[in-house]
Amino acid sequence: MAESKVRKAAAPKPAVKKVAVKPRKPESHLAMVRRARKINRILAETYPYAHPELDFETPFELLVATVLSAQTTDLRVNQTTPTLFTKYPTPEDMAMAVPEELEEIIRPTGFFRNKAKSLIGLSIKLRDDFGGEVPKTLEEMVTLPGVGRKTANVVLGNARDPKTGEPFGVPGITVDTHFGRLARRFGWTAEEDPVKVEAAVAEIFPKSEWTMLSHRVVFHGRRICHSRKPACGACPVAPLCPSYGEGETDPEKARKLLKYELGGQPGQRLRPPGDFPGEAAARVDAAGHQGRIADLAVGE
């Protein structure tokens, strides 16, 4: 595919200004809840386009992509799944996959043998126990091989029924490494175990916010509040964050740490939603060359 010369408008960059952060006093649980909800409101204003960064069309594709996303980037998964879904478009197809052939396709995502075993196992269960359809409850989802609460919450909160187009609409908090890190930095919980983090955060926010809260926090963790060098000086929630100062506080230096669309770079999706303010990610074609799928892919 020829490189598209049409570029979407660059994402607006945060204004550069010195963040005023007052010394923190011990806060009550009620004060923490109010602060947490204000952080969520600010993140909603900062990332109104927050979404899953995995390319998918069907619940099955989202399920497979989420399983593949463990210990790798969403971009790497998005570069791998077009070939995967062309060869195995349904659970019935993937259930019959030759393990070695499936492993070779998903090798770039890492841990490919274990992932192939999970994909074949969950496909067999979908075929045999659920009529080839992805279940719509957490209790049923976690019975699938390789599927835990995180994967289940991603699918249940973001998939749509392929027949009706209606969203599954099951609220859930997706605790990946980014979400867990930020939940602790924000002082929402001190827990390390993902299930305990999920339970603690669920008590702070109404259920209707859980899915979008997950997207916003993960977006923030990937773009600003990084693991090693958080861009504190460019963070919109810095005045509310008890961990302010762990990263770069100088506004100009912090801006240079911003990633993806906030840093003027492409996101992770090859086919981002239409309201995404950045560019589509780089793809890798069959010949191993990189190209750009931009506006032509956005509307698909």
Side-chain angles (χ1 to χ4, degrees):
M1 178 184 294
E3 179 176 348
S4 172
K5 296 183 179 180
V6 181
R7 296 293 179 87
K8 300 188 73 122
K13 295 183 177 180
V16 176
K17 60 181 181 180
K18 191 67 176 179
V19 178
V21 179
K22 299 179 181 179
R24 299 215 165 265
K25 301 178 181 179
E27 65 180 350
S28 66
H29 178 73
L30 178 58
M32 183 273 288
V33 170
R34 288 174 174 170
R35 180 174 58 81
R37 293 184 178 186
K38 188 172 183 179
I39 288 175
N40 182 40
R41 291 194 295 271
I42 294 174
L43 293 182
E45 295 172 356
T46 305
Y47 310 108
Y49 49 87
H51 62 278
E53 294 192 86
L54 293 167
D55 286 327
F56 70 97
E57 294 183 2
T58 68
F60 177 64
E61 288 186 357
L62 178 57
L63 173 59
V64 169
T66 306
V67 170
L68 290 177
S69 69
Q71 304 298 313
T72 191
T73 64
D74 286 356
L75 173 58
R76 178 60 64 188
V77 174
N78 292 337
Q79 293 172 332
T80 302
T81 50
T83 300
L84 179 67
F85 294 146
T86 296
K87 188 172 180 64
Y88 309 109
T90 68
E92 290 80 3
D93 295 315
M94 195 168 287
M96 299 297 292
V98 176
E100 291 76 14
E101 295 178 0
L102 177 57
E103 289 172 4
E104 189 59 31
I105 294 174
I106 67 173
R107 179 185 290 268
T109 69
F111 302 94
F112 56 92
R113 291 190 179 88
N114 286 337
K115 289 179 180 179
K117 183 178 179 181
S118 293
L119 293 183
I120 292 174
L122 69 83
S123 296
I124 290 173
K125 192 168 182 65
L126 289 177
R127 180 195 65 190
D128 296 347
D129 295 352
F130 296 102
E133 302 289 339
V134 174
K136 298 180 180 180
T137 69
L138 180 65
E139 293 74 19
E140 291 175 318
M141 283 288 295
V142 295
T143 66
L144 301 174
V147 176
R149 293 183 65 90
K150 185 192 84 169
T151 297
N153 283 332
V154 170
V155 176
L156 294 173
N158 298 283
R160 291 180 175 272
D161 188 297
K163 297 178 181 177
T164 67
E166 292 294 320
F168 282 16
V170 181
I173 296 172
T174 303
V175 183
D176 66 357
T177 56
H178 301 287
F179 192 99
R181 179 177 73 252
L182 268 63
R184 289 183 288 274
R185 281 182 176 171
F186 289 157
W188 296 351
T189 180
E191 299 289 352
E192 296 281 346
D193 180 80
V195 175
K196 293 181 179 179
V197 171
E198 179 185 347
V201 175
E203 293 182 354
I204 300 173
F205 298 93
K207 186 177 292 188
S208 60
E209 285 289 311
W210 289 356
T211 297
M212 286 309 301
L213 171 73
S214 299
H215 293 324
R216 295 164 190 155
V217 172
V218 171
F219 256 56
H220 192 61
R222 288 174 172 171
R223 286 150 177 78
I224 296 179
C225 194
H226 313 134
S227 176
R228 295 182 180 178
K229 290 185 178 181
C232 293
C235 179
V237 299
L240 298 169
C241 181
S243 300
Y244 174 80
E246 287 188 9
E248 179 58 63
T249 59
D250 180 85
E252 290 293 348
K253 293 179 180 179
R255 171 172 283 183
K256 295 178 181 179
L257 299 175
L258 301 181
K259 295 182 179 179
Y260 301 113
E261 77 283 354
L262 295 187
Q265 301 297 319
Q268 297 200 71
R269 294 192 66 169
L270 304 186
R271 296 176 296 162
D275 61 351
F276 183 70
E279 299 178 19
R283 64 178 173 81
V284 177
D285 62 25
H289 301 295
Q290 285 197 338
R292 180 81 61 204
I293 299 178
D295 294 340
L296 293 178
V298 170
E300 293 180 4

